[in-house]
Amino acid sequence: MELSKGAADQRRKRIILVLFISFMLLLLIFTLFSNTLQSLTLPKVTTEQPKKGGIPLVLEGIGILQPIAEAKLSGSTNWKTQQIHVKEGDRVKKGQKLITYDSKPAKQDIEVEVTNLEKQKIEQQNFQDQFILASFEEDELKRRSAQRDIEKGKLDIAAQERKINEIREHVSKNQMLTAPFDGIITKLNAVEGLASAGEPDIIVSKSSHGYRFEVSADAKRLSSLGISIGERIKVEVDTDQEQQARSMDGIIEEINNAKPLIEGSSESDEGAGW
């Protein structure tokens, strides 16, 4: 009886020891597993050496590029367009022919005025003959009257010659439009055979002077970032749907407060156009 009782006690102690060891192993496993799960859920943090630099800011907006320098050219008369020497998109040099106008009406006016001048010269000869006749007859009144007619005829002839020269100069100056500088033809409204319709016949832009555009941006953001006139920026330009957009250097030239879109809006809701 005592031997069996001692064997039972030893067996019970071994069971208790096995259970204790199993419990400790289980506790250790759960502890390690919980730490692993917790480490997976925690955010990963990396450290780097601090460096000086700026924060990139993108201001999105849509605007149309307008040339800073451009010339809107039209004929100074109602002459019809005779020939157009260029087309939209062409690059032109200073002095290059752009449009030739039909100057026949002005040339006909010149012929009429030249005929009138010849008549005046013939009339002047008649005055001279009257002066000579009055001198032979020793008629002082007729002689003095003929002399006054001669002087008046000289003035009329000089005025007529100036008039003819002015018309000729007008024809020479306006018969043809030429490029005022090296540039690009951005707009062509003239039509051969027709007179000007009121709009500029042709517009030439001077691309070498650059372009400008306007875009609206948040005024608070601009002021908080310290953006001011003269700031250099990068501008992404879409030239064509089939071509990739390209980047250009730009400078902020002007910042203006835009009017509120809704009446009663506070000044803080306004945007800045630049």
Side-chain angles (χ1 to χ4, degrees), residues 73-89:
L73 307 176
S74 294
S76 60
T77 63
N78 291 326
W79 298 344
K80 294 180 180 180
T81 301
Q82 185 175 14
Q83 185 177 1
I84 301 174
H85 304 278
V86 293
K87 59 182 181 296
E88 289 187 8

Side-chain angles (χ1 to χ4, degrees), residues 15-78:
I15 294 173
I16 293 174
L17 181 61
V18 170
L19 291 176
F20 176 76
I21 293 173
S22 300
F23 175 75
M24 294 301 295
L25 289 174
L26 187 62
L27 183 62
L28 180 61
I29 291 171
F30 278 114
T31 302
L32 294 175
F33 187 68
S34 62
N35 290 335
T36 304
L37 288 177
Q38 187 176 7
S39 64
L40 291 175
T41 58
L42 290 176
K44 304 298 181 182
V45 179
T46 58
T47 59
E48 293 183 1
Q49 281 294 113
K51 297 179 181 179
K52 291 184 178 180
I55 300 175
L57 171 66
V58 178
L59 296 176
E60 294 185 355
I62 297 175
I64 299 176
L65 290 179
Q66 298 288 345
I68 294 177
E70 67 176 9
K72 298 179 179 180
L73 307 176
S74 294
S76 60
T77 63
N78 291 326

Side-chain angles (χ1 to χ4, degrees), residues 9-270:
D9 291 339
Q10 290 180 358
R11 189 168 51 253
R12 186 170 55 253
K13 288 179 181 180
R14 284 197 300 268
I15 294 173
I16 293 174
L17 181 61
V18 170
L19 291 176
F20 176 76
I21 293 173
S22 300
F23 175 75
M24 294 301 295
L25 289 174
L26 187 62
L27 183 62
L28 180 61
I29 291 171
F30 278 114
T31 302
L32 294 175
F33 187 68
S34 62
N35 290 335
T36 304
L37 288 177
Q38 187 176 7
S39 64
L40 291 175
T41 58
L42 290 176
K44 304 298 181 182
V45 179
T46 58
T47 59
E48 293 183 1
Q49 281 294 113
K51 297 179 181 179
K52 291 184 178 180
I55 300 175
L57 171 66
V58 178
L59 296 176
E60 294 185 355
I62 297 175
I64 299 176
L65 290 179
Q66 298 288 345
I68 294 177
E70 67 176 9
K72 298 179 179 180
L73 307 176
S74 294
S76 60
T77 63
N78 291 326
W79 298 344
K80 294 180 180 180
T81 301
Q82 185 175 14
Q83 185 177 1
I84 301 174
H85 304 278
V86 293
K87 59 182 181 296
E88 289 187 8
D90 284 355
R91 291 185 176 273
V92 294
K93 296 290 186 181
K94 182 178 180 179
Q96 181 176 337
K97 293 180 182 180
L98 303 179
I99 297 176
T100 301
Y101 294 97
D102 184 4
S103 58
K104 287 182 181 178
K107 291 180 179 179
Q108 291 174 354
D109 292 340
I110 291 176
E111 293 176 358
V112 171
E113 297 301 333
V114 169
T115 300
N116 292 334
L117 177 62
E118 295 299 325
K119 291 179 179 180
Q120 289 177 349
K121 289 180 178 180
I122 294 173
E123 188 70 17
Q124 185 74 349
Q125 292 176 356
N126 292 332
F127 293 148
Q128 292 175 354
D129 292 342
Q130 292 176 8
F131 177 79
I132 294 172
L133 181 61
S135 298
F136 276 118
E137 294 177 353
E138 297 182 353
D139 190 333
E140 184 64 16
L141 291 177
K142 288 183 178 180
R143 190 183 69 81
R144 292 170 63 180
S145 176
Q147 187 176 9
R148 288 193 295 270
D149 290 337
I150 291 173
E151 295 299 325
K152 180 178 178 298
K154 290 179 179 180
L155 295 176
D156 291 340
I157 289 173
Q160 185 67 10
E161 288 176 343
R162 287 195 301 271
K163 183 178 181 180
I164 293 173
N165 289 334
E166 288 175 357
I167 297 175
R168 285 174 175 168
E169 184 179 355
H170 179 75
V171 172
S172 176
K173 184 178 180 181
N174 296 280
Q175 185 176 5
M176 183 178 299
L177 281 183
T178 59
F181 44 70
D182 295 351
I184 301 174
I185 306 299
T186 56
K187 187 68 175 178
L188 183 61
N189 295 316
V191 179
E192 291 185 357
L194 298 179
S196 175
E199 297 181 351
D201 289 341
I202 196 168
I203 299 178
V204 185
S205 66
K206 196 169 187 177
S207 57
S208 60
H209 283 195
Y211 297 85
R212 65 174 297 160
F213 76 102
E214 296 181 358
V215 65
S216 297
D218 185 82
K220 287 183 178 180
R221 180 174 297 179
L222 291 179
S223 59
S224 63
L225 293 174
I227 295 178
S228 58
I229 296 175
E231 196 86 18
R232 291 187 174 274
I233 59 173
K234 286 286 186 181
V235 182
E236 188 175 287
V237 181
D238 288 328
T239 56
D240 197 329
Q241 293 181 353
E242 299 179 356
Q243 297 181 0
Q244 187 176 1
R246 59 192 180 97
S247 181
M248 299 176 63
D249 294 329
I251 299 176
I252 298 177
E253 290 189 346
E254 188 178 3
I255 300 178
N256 293 324
N257 287 330
K259 294 182 179 180
L261 297 178
I262 303 175
E263 294 184 2
S265 299
S266 63
E267 186 176 354
S268 61
D269 293 334
E270 296 181 1

